[in-house]
Amino acid sequence: MEGMDNHTYIALLTISNLVAVLQVIAARKWPAIAIWSFFLLFIVAGFANWSNSQHNPQSYMEFADLAWCHAYRVFISGWFAGHIKLVVGLIAVCQVMIGISMLLSGRLFAAGCIGAIIFLVAILPLGMGSGFPCPGIMAAAVFILLLKQRNVSLFDGLQVSNRRPSDQAHRIS
């Protein structure tokens, strides 16, 4: 990965950060859209990371050169280098679990949001390898969703009521 010298990388970096800004806007104005976007993001990332970690594990070594944090560079070049399939495989499973939690409500949704925020903040020190500042912006969007939607599922609005309109009128009075 050539980083800032690679035009494709710059385009992808720009697009990812634009998407992150749109997720913040959606989280504030259209939470359901933001929730679906995070569901898709984490599900796709989870399956992509699982597949890539099992078939091309050495590709993750490029992140050592892009990391801004010395401890991350040492970790990636050290212990991680010998355990890529295990570590990235576990991360991928967690990403899928976070994605699924976006469609749930209550404590499961909250747990998924907290997991997403922790994950997104944890990859910030990867610098350009994480699409910086994209993960920080996305973490802000998830935090907004957590505050707005902690007890609401996407499916709550899809439930059909068995009550007749006249039953609801009696309940109001």
Side-chain angles (χ1 to χ4, degrees), residues 16-57:
S16 66
N17 280 283
L18 177 61
V19 167
V21 169
L22 292 174
Q23 285 176 312
V24 169
I25 293 167
R28 292 180 54 112
K29 296 184 180 235
W30 309 286
I33 292 172
I35 289 169
W36 278 105
S37 74
F38 281 111
F39 164 75
L40 291 172
L41 172 79
F42 278 100
I43 293 293
V44 169
F47 283 106
N49 275 323
W50 176 268
S51 178
N52 195 44
S53 70
Q54 303 307 303
H55 297 103
N56 188 19

Side-chain angles (χ1 to χ4, degrees), residues 4-168:
M4 297 304 284
D5 296 332
N6 183 330
H7 293 293
T8 303
Y9 183 77
I10 300 245
L12 293 173
L13 181 66
T14 302
I15 291 167
S16 66
N17 280 283
L18 177 61
V19 167
V21 169
L22 292 174
Q23 285 176 312
V24 169
I25 293 167
R28 292 180 54 112
K29 296 184 180 235
W30 309 286
I33 292 172
I35 289 169
W36 278 105
S37 74
F38 281 111
F39 164 75
L40 291 172
L41 172 79
F42 278 100
I43 293 293
V44 169
F47 283 106
N49 275 323
W50 176 268
S51 178
N52 195 44
S53 70
Q54 303 307 303
H55 297 103
N56 188 19
Q58 291 307 311
S59 67
Y60 290 91
M61 295 305 298
E62 296 174 5
F63 290 104
D65 296 333
L66 297 171
W68 291 344
C69 175
H70 176 71
Y72 275 49
R73 286 192 300 272
V74 169
F75 174 74
I76 292 168
S77 300
W79 185 84
F80 175 80
H83 301 88
I84 297 171
K85 288 183 178 184
L86 172 67
V87 175
V88 179
L90 288 172
I91 289 169
V93 168
C94 290
Q95 287 174 314
V96 169
M97 290 171 55
I98 290 168
I100 292 168
S101 75
M102 292 293 125
L103 301 182
L104 304 175
S105 63
R107 290 182 180 167
L108 293 174
F109 178 79
C113 286
I114 292 167
I117 292 167
I118 291 169
F119 171 77
L120 292 165
V121 169
I123 65 172
L124 277 171
L126 292 173
M128 300 311 279
S130 70
F132 185 85
C134 176
I137 298 167
M138 287 181 174
V142 174
F143 184 71
I144 293 167
L145 290 175
L146 177 61
L147 294 177
K148 289 185 125 200
Q149 299 288 328
R150 66 178 157 240
N151 294 316
V152 179
S153 165
L154 285 178
F155 300 108
D156 289 345
L158 300 177
Q159 295 174 352
V160 178
S161 174
N162 291 329
R163 293 188 181 140
R164 296 184 311 263
S166 60
D167 292 341
Q168 291 177 354

